[in-house]
Amino acid sequence: MSERRSPRSRDAYAEFQTLQTRWNDNDQFGHLYNVTYHELFDEAMNRSLGARGMLNHRNGAPIQVVVENGCTYFSEVSYPDLLQVGLRVAAMGNSSIRLEMGLFREGEDRESAQAHFVLVTVDSRTHRPTPTPADQRKALEQLTL
């Protein structure tokens, strides 16, 4: 087994997206379902990429698809917590991007969960890997510390 990760602080991230938990996010034990964490990370990532014009598959530009993800949990969150998801680009290859995220309760400096998503840039029509275009790389550099 690999060594357990440690929670990061807010200064490890370049940008934040604020998300509100919902009543139906809680399980019978009073904390968020595991799948909800992934949905929150996915929502924050898509907001950030969308704001950079990177999710429009109708205009013919290359898009990013998830090929790997994972999550490490540190402390519980539950409804009605207001959350901030921190994002950062940890690595960029020719067509791949490793995006790392941290889930924070409002006002807390240590993340409650940490996730990574590996994205591959693909042609929007064929869905075959293609180099990430220069304009998209430049937009993603805003998320690099």
Side-chain angles (χ1 to χ4, degrees), residues 21-27 32-33 36 79:
T21 55
R22 303 162 303 174
W23 173 256
N24 66 335
D25 292 337
N26 285 1
D27 65 15
L32 295 187
Y33 287 104
T36 303
Y79 174 83

Side-chain angles (χ1 to χ4, degrees), residues 44-60:
M45 176 183 66
N46 287 327
R47 283 185 184 186
S48 183
L49 294 178
R52 290 170 170 76
M54 297 175 68
L55 295 180
N56 187 354
H57 64 280
R58 291 182 177 92
N59 70 2

Side-chain angles (χ1 to χ4, degrees), residues 39-78:
E39 289 173 347
L40 291 166
F41 285 124
D42 190 62
E43 175 70 17
M45 176 183 66
N46 287 327
R47 283 185 184 186
S48 183
L49 294 178
R52 290 170 170 76
M54 297 175 68
L55 295 180
N56 187 354
H57 64 280
R58 291 182 177 92
N59 70 2
I63 58 171
Q64 285 66 39
V65 296
V66 176
V67 297
E68 176 185 321
N69 66 27
C71 185
T72 303
Y73 307 94
F74 302 113
S75 61
E76 293 180 356
V77 298
S78 63

Side-chain angles (χ1 to χ4, degrees), residues 9 36 52 59 65 77 83 110 115 118 130 145:
S9 64
T36 303
R52 290 170 170 76
N59 70 2
V65 296
V77 298
L83 306 171
R110 293 283 173 203
V118 177
T130 189
L145 294 178

Side-chain angles (χ1 to χ4, degrees), residues 131-144:
T132 305
D135 61 328
Q136 291 184 359
R137 294 181 76 77
K138 184 174 180 177
L140 288 167
E141 287 172 1
Q142 298 168 357
L143 296 174
T144 305

Side-chain angles (χ1 to χ4, degrees):
M1 286 183 61
S2 62
E3 189 174 313
R4 178 145 168 87
R5 298 171 195 246
S6 298
R8 296 182 185 124
S9 64
R10 288 178 179 270
D11 61 2
Y13 297 98
E15 176 180 294
F16 288 85
Q17 298 287 334
T18 300
L19 301 169
Q20 176 63 57
T21 55
R22 303 162 303 174
W23 173 256
N24 66 335
D25 292 337
N26 285 1
D27 65 15
Q28 66 270 26
F29 302 111
H31 55 78
L32 295 187
Y33 287 104
N34 290 346
V35 70
T36 303
Y37 284 86
H38 288 278
E39 289 173 347
L40 291 166
F41 285 124
D42 190 62
E43 175 70 17
M45 176 183 66
N46 287 327
R47 283 185 184 186
S48 183
L49 294 178
R52 290 170 170 76
M54 297 175 68
L55 295 180
N56 187 354
H57 64 280
R58 291 182 177 92
N59 70 2
I63 58 171
Q64 285 66 39
V65 296
V66 176
V67 297
E68 176 185 321
N69 66 27
C71 185
T72 303
Y73 307 94
F74 302 113
S75 61
E76 293 180 356
V77 298
S78 63
Y79 174 83
D81 288 336
L82 184 62
L83 306 171
Q84 287 90 36
V85 177
L87 299 97
R88 72 181 190 182
V89 169
M92 257 195 294
N94 186 44
S95 64
S96 65
I97 302 134
R98 181 181 173 94
L99 190 62
E100 295 179 343
M101 293 171 275
L103 183 78
F104 295 83
R105 278 191 195 101
E106 184 179 37
E108 290 188 1
D109 189 51
R110 293 283 173 203
E111 60 194 358
S112 296
Q114 185 181 106
H116 75 275
F117 280 58
V118 177
L119 310 170
V120 171
T121 303
V122 299
D123 180 278
S124 60
R125 287 181 283 282
T126 67
H127 284 223
R128 300 298 308 155
T130 189
T132 305
D135 61 328
Q136 291 184 359
R137 294 181 76 77
K138 184 174 180 177
L140 288 167
E141 287 172 1
Q142 298 168 357
L143 296 174
T144 305
L145 294 178

